[in-house]
Amino acid sequence: MSYLFHVDPASLDLVSDHFGGPVDDFTPPANIYEGGWSDGLTNTRREFPDVGRSDFRLPAIHILHSGGDTVSAFYYQSHDIMAGKPGLPGLPATYGNEDDVTTLMVNLYDNYSDVSAVLSYSIFPRYNAIARSFQISNNGSNEIVIERAASFSVDLPNLDLDLIELQGDWAHERNRVRRPVTYGETSFRSTEGYSSHVHNPFLALVSSNTEESQGEAWGFNLVYTGSFAATAERFSHGFVRVLLGLNPLHSSWHLQPGETFTSPEAVAVYSSEGLGGMSRSFHDLYRNHLSRSNKTFQTRPVLLNNWEGLGFDINETALVNLAEEAAELGIKLFVNDDGWFGNGQYARTSDNAGLGDWEVNRERFPNGLGPYVAQIDNLTVARTGAQDMQFGLWFEPEMVNQNSTLYQEHPEWAMHDRGYPRTLTRNQLVLNVALPEVQDYIIDVVSRVIDSANIQYIKWDNNRGIHEMPSPSTDHQYMLGLYRLIDNLTTTYPEILWEGCASGGGRFDAGLLYYWPQHWTSDNTDAADRLNIQLGTSLVYPPSSMGCHISAIPNGITQRNISIEYRAHVALWCGSFGLELNPSELSEEERAAVPGIIREYERINPMVISGSFYRLRLPEYSNWPAVQVISEDENQSVVFAFQQKNAVKPAPPPLRLQGLDASARYLNDADNSTYTGATYMNAGLNLAFEGDYDSQLIHLYKQQ
């Protein structure tokens, strides 16, 4: 792809020229009829649009000056090019060495207000990707306030475009929504303090005829966990301005003389090979140049989480017994969820008490955490014959119950605004992680727990949005604090497998994927719903970053009964796989199936972790959705094919694969035949299904 812009010699404004397929030349701009009120900068495709100087569209930067005015005029001064990519102070960002990435720094200055800007463009040619951020420095003598900061802004020409976003809610995350970009603003945002279940900080603009494997697609993703805003604005001349950055309702960042503000990073990807090509670029970029965990390319252990099996009704004996049952099934990681902490009147026996008091409950664990965990570690896992069970623990460190020692001692640490009532969600309040003392407290208590036992996995949960912020800028201050404490903990304990969670997928974003390699995808584990959720998530985030489990039936949310094979096949194409149930409640048929499912996971997971992912058919368009993963060395492939509803007619359409070597031959284990890649991709496989929610898992092996 090519990304072109230039400096207008008369105005010293940065002018956008092209973002798309490869080009070799600059061409004259569109011929726009000049007349009426829309003239000057309004008719220019701009790279860093400010406000108040004849551009009537939304700006990328909006600054309130000390005199009360908001006009800005950023003029080009100079630029620098460097091999590699500098980090962003206090923020997650993509990274790479001089062989991976080149960075262009463009220096701008507003001579009237003594405010400077540095635009950073980091180019990853291998992925057709650009990472962009900017810095604003106050060189004057008075405070300024940044009211709007869009990390990525680009003006596209008059093209027939659709916008795709990931919309949903709790247990219904990241459903693909596609709508045309009409005149005016097509936008969405999160005001929940976090990236949220309702909207994700991702959008794609696509040509009206773009599909999975053909057509143009431009993807934009904010590497950030806080509130955000995304807009595609089509003006009267047809140009489309894309803006992605902080939510202006949660901005108002006060910048004192001599201070610098750094925007979060946004990543843009161009694909001429449809949405699938765009997704695979994001997947490869994020695995190789965003996720810094040493677990990113490791097969993760199969886990069992005790929550669905026991809930709050736990003690050391019950948990060890549950872990023993897990070990007998061949499970290698036992995760102790909520309810292990708090003492006395604040014991965590329900969600009404204990959050904030991160000390082991002495009544439930009379010998402390260390001896209890040692019992888990000493369990012999079936099939391996070794005492190699691992232990994981659940935390929710950013939250507090009013019924806790922490809240009684430090009520001022909870997020609040003056004397307004503190509204509860799930019986809890949000700790103000913007405060350094809160950050230090979380680092200290989590570290002390980790140091007390052999903990090899941590699930970091977050079960509500933010209310009663004392100022709009508190949200960004909170994020900087959150990133500081997570950076500290993940750097201090790099061998722990960290997993993010936020009532399921409420913070499944690129900001947190910088620190930990996986996130719980959704609290909804119904396999039919999960198929939609996981496919939507895969538009931008790699399947290797998803946590996906088999849960009990009937499903606790949908009450659906689906076979364990189908449930497994939906979960197996994720990076982290496990069970969310009580093994003693499995049927004989289910129990017999589990060891084989685990063996299949161990066989498939290396491909999921590092291979290429293809969405072959989507459930919103087909009764027979399917996905495919191709190994990094391209010698193997695995296909997951599903039937949602049984029907006498029509017959399932042939399943056409993608990404194979057309001239090579591949053996498949569906009909034990060998065909060329061209045959698989153009003629396809005819599969037989039986009943509602049936599925097949098919391996392909490249023949030498």
Side-chain angles (χ1 to χ4, degrees):
M1 64 90 171
S2 293
Y3 191 105
L4 274 65
F5 64 95
H6 70 274
V7 181
D8 180 78
S11 67
L12 297 182
D13 201 50
L14 298 184
V15 178
S16 300
D17 290 285
H18 175 78
F19 179 25
V23 298
D24 300 309
D25 305 289
F26 287 86
T27 58
N31 184 20
I32 299 175
Y33 182 81
E34 294 283 351
W37 295 0
S38 299
D39 60 0
L41 293 176
T42 292
N43 292 332
T44 303
R45 292 171 55 193
R46 306 180 67 201
E47 197 65 19
F48 190 59
D50 44 32
V51 69
R53 298 187 300 123
S54 80
D55 190 344
F56 296 135
R57 296 164 291 178
L58 288 175
I61 185 68
H62 182 194
I63 296 174
L64 175 65
H65 300 288
S66 60
D69 60 299
T70 59
V71 177
S72 294
F74 286 100
Y75 299 130
Y76 171 83
Q77 277 195 324
S78 64
H79 68 272
D80 303 288
I81 298 173
M82 62 172 290
K85 182 178 185 294
L88 298 185
L91 288 164
T94 53
Y95 58 84
N97 60 36
E98 59 186 20
D99 296 325
D100 305 313
V101 57
T102 302
T103 300
L104 167 68
M105 314 286 284
V106 183
N107 304 299
L108 309 175
Y109 206 88
D110 183 340
N111 297 306
Y112 304 96
S113 62
D114 282 330
V115 176
S116 60
V118 180
L119 310 188
S120 173
Y121 299 79
S122 294
I123 315 300
F124 291 88
R126 190 177 306 164
Y127 311 101
N128 287 340
I130 298 176
R132 181 169 163 182
S133 62
F134 65 81
Q135 291 186 328
I136 297 290
S137 296
N138 182 1
N139 306 295
S141 56
N142 296 300
E143 177 189 80
I144 63 174
V145 182
I146 299 173
E147 301 287 8
R148 178 186 288 270
S151 301
F152 210 109
S153 62
V154 64
D155 287 351
L156 299 176
N158 183 15
L159 301 173
D160 186 12
L161 297 172
D162 291 343
L163 181 147
I164 296 175
E165 67 141 320
L166 299 175
Q167 183 274 336
D169 207 327
W170 174 79
H172 189 61
E173 298 94 331
R174 290 176 299 284
N175 296 274
R176 185 192 305 212
V177 176
R178 181 169 179 164
R179 57 186 184 270
V181 178
T182 56
Y183 288 97
E185 299 170 25
T186 304
S187 63
F188 56 92
R189 67 184 66 189
S190 166
T191 54
E192 297 180 50
Y194 306 117
S195 46
S196 90
H197 303 81
V198 179
H199 298 287
N200 193 268
F202 161 81
L203 75 154
L205 295 184
V206 299
S207 301
S208 57
N209 64 345
T210 293
E211 298 176 355
E212 275 297 317
S213 58
Q214 65 88 28
E216 290 190 297
W218 295 261
F220 303 88
N221 189 212
L222 190 64
V223 185
Y224 191 61
T225 310
S227 295
F228 70 91
T231 302
E233 181 184 12
R234 184 185 292 278
F235 206 70
S236 60
H237 40 48
F239 295 167
V240 176
R241 173 166 291 173
V242 181
L243 299 168
L244 179 61
L246 300 184
N247 185 336
L249 294 176
H250 290 169
S251 297
S252 297
W253 188 264
H254 293 250
L255 201 63
Q256 303 301 320
E259 291 184 343
T260 295
F261 167 81
T262 302
S263 79
E265 182 171 274
V267 175
V269 162
Y270 170 77
S271 168
S272 61
E273 299 177 347
L275 288 164
M278 177 201 73
S279 297
R280 287 185 289 278
S281 288
F282 273 119
H283 297 173
D284 288 343
L285 176 69
Y286 284 175
R287 287 185 298 200
N288 290 284
H289 299 287
L290 177 68
S291 179
R292 67 179 195 179
S293 168
N294 58 16
K295 308 292 186 182
T296 300
F297 288 100
Q298 292 183 14
T299 293
R300 290 88 190 250
V302 178
L303 67 84
L304 182 126
N305 185 300
N306 79 277
W307 180 253
E308 294 297 332
L310 299 177
F312 282 114
D313 188 18
I314 62 171
N315 57 47
E316 182 173 323
T317 301
L319 288 166
V320 171
N321 289 340
L322 190 67
E324 288 174 345
E325 293 183 68
E328 290 171 2
L329 292 171
I331 291 167
K332 294 184 177 180
L333 171 62
F334 179 74
V335 179
N336 193 147
D337 209 278
D338 201 352
W340 58 269
F341 52 92
N343 284 285
Q345 62 179 321
Y346 301 135
R348 182 70 169 177
T349 56
S350 72
D351 63 15
N352 192 45
L355 280 178
D357 297 349
W358 298 104
E359 294 181 351
V360 66
N361 182 288
R362 290 291 176 174
E363 183 175 342
R364 292 179 165 184
F365 304 94
N367 300 312
L369 203 58
Y372 156 58
V373 173
Q375 292 182 70
I376 306 295
D377 290 342
N378 288 329
L379 293 177
T380 300
V381 176
R383 293 191 306 110
T384 69
Q387 293 176 324
D388 55 1
M389 176 68 89
Q390 300 177 26
F391 179 83
L393 198 59
W394 177 96
F395 281 92
E396 194 176 0
E398 300 162 64
M399 299 291 153
V400 65
N401 289 125
Q402 290 175 314
N403 295 320
S404 67
T405 301
L406 178 65
Y407 186 81
Q408 298 307 311
E409 293 179 352
H410 292 288
E412 76 281 5
W413 284 6
M415 192 74 72
H416 67 282
D417 183 19
R418 295 181 289 160
Y420 286 99
R422 304 182 181 193
T423 55
L424 295 172
T425 298
R426 199 175 179 258
N427 297 313
Q428 63 196 52
L429 296 169
V430 181
L431 288 173
N432 188 351
V433 179
L435 301 175
E437 56 268 34
V438 173
Q439 300 164 29
D440 292 341
Y441 173 79
I442 293 174
I443 292 170
D444 179 60
V445 294
V446 173
S447 297
R448 280 194 277 115
V449 173
I450 293 174
D451 292 339
S452 73
N454 184 25
I455 298 168
Q456 300 186 52
Y457 162 101
I458 285 177
K459 181 178 181 179
W460 186 294
D461 210 343
N462 187 90
N463 280 305
R464 60 160 292 177
I466 300 177
H467 306 171
E468 287 94 44
M469 292 185 198
S471 72
S473 62
T474 298
D475 188 50
H476 187 58
Q477 292 171 331
Y478 182 109
M479 290 306 137
L480 294 176
L482 177 65
Y483 293 144
R484 174 190 168 241
L485 70 89
I486 294 179
D487 178 71
N488 180 295
L489 290 167
T490 55
T491 302
T492 304
Y493 303 100
E495 295 307 315
I496 288 178
L497 173 59
W498 299 81
E499 177 174 303
C501 180
S503 299
R507 298 199 304 193
F508 204 124
D509 58 67
L512 289 176
L513 286 180
Y514 173 76
Y515 300 99
W516 43 54
Q518 63 191 54
H519 200 101
W520 182 230
T521 314
S522 175
D523 281 346
N524 186 348
T525 54
D526 174 80
D529 286 354
R530 261 306 189 100
L531 195 57
N532 282 289
I533 293 168
Q534 292 168 203
L535 284 167
T537 304
S538 75
L539 262 182
V540 57
Y541 306 111
S544 58
S545 67
M546 299 183 204
C548 306
H549 297 171
I550 296 173
S551 62
I553 54 171
N555 182 267
I557 292 177
T558 68
Q559 299 302 304
R560 251 193 293 256
N561 286 284
I562 294 178
S563 73
I564 193 168
E565 288 78 16
Y566 187 104
R567 283 176 279 156
H569 291 165
V570 170
L572 282 171
W573 51 270
C574 298
S576 177
F577 170 77
L579 280 72
E580 200 95 3
L581 46 75
N582 190 331
S584 66
E585 297 175 359
L586 290 169
S587 68
E588 290 186 12
E589 179 184 0
E590 290 173 326
R591 177 176 288 274
V594 168
I597 291 170
I598 292 175
R599 285 193 296 271
E600 196 66 76
Y601 165 79
E602 293 170 346
R603 181 182 178 192
I604 291 169
N605 192 248
M607 284 190 274
V608 174
I609 291 293
S610 59
S612 299
F613 181 75
Y614 293 82
R615 295 177 294 268
L616 302 181
R617 287 197 295 245
L618 300 174
E620 57 259 48
Y621 302 124
S622 174
N623 187 44
W624 298 277
V627 302
Q628 178 186 1
V629 180
I630 297 178
S631 64
E632 187 178 20
D633 63 11
E634 300 183 345
N635 288 328
Q636 296 183 61
S637 181
V638 61
V639 177
F640 300 85
F642 305 92
Q643 174 171 272
Q644 303 292 73
K645 298 293 183 183
N646 192 32
V648 176
K649 291 182 180 178
L655 180 58
R656 295 174 177 173
L657 309 188
Q658 296 183 33
L660 302 177
D661 181 346
S663 61
R665 300 190 71 84
Y666 297 83
L667 171 67
N668 79 79
D669 62 3
D671 61 10
N672 294 312
S673 298
T674 302
Y675 308 116
T676 64
T679 301
Y680 286 108
M681 293 188 290
N682 297 322
L685 289 171
N686 288 302
L687 305 178
F689 296 96
E690 296 181 2
D692 295 346
Y693 301 116
D694 193 19
S695 60
Q696 293 191 39
L697 190 157
I698 304 163
H699 287 273
L700 278 75
Y701 304 94
K702 193 174 186 178
Q703 304 299 288
Q704 303 300 324

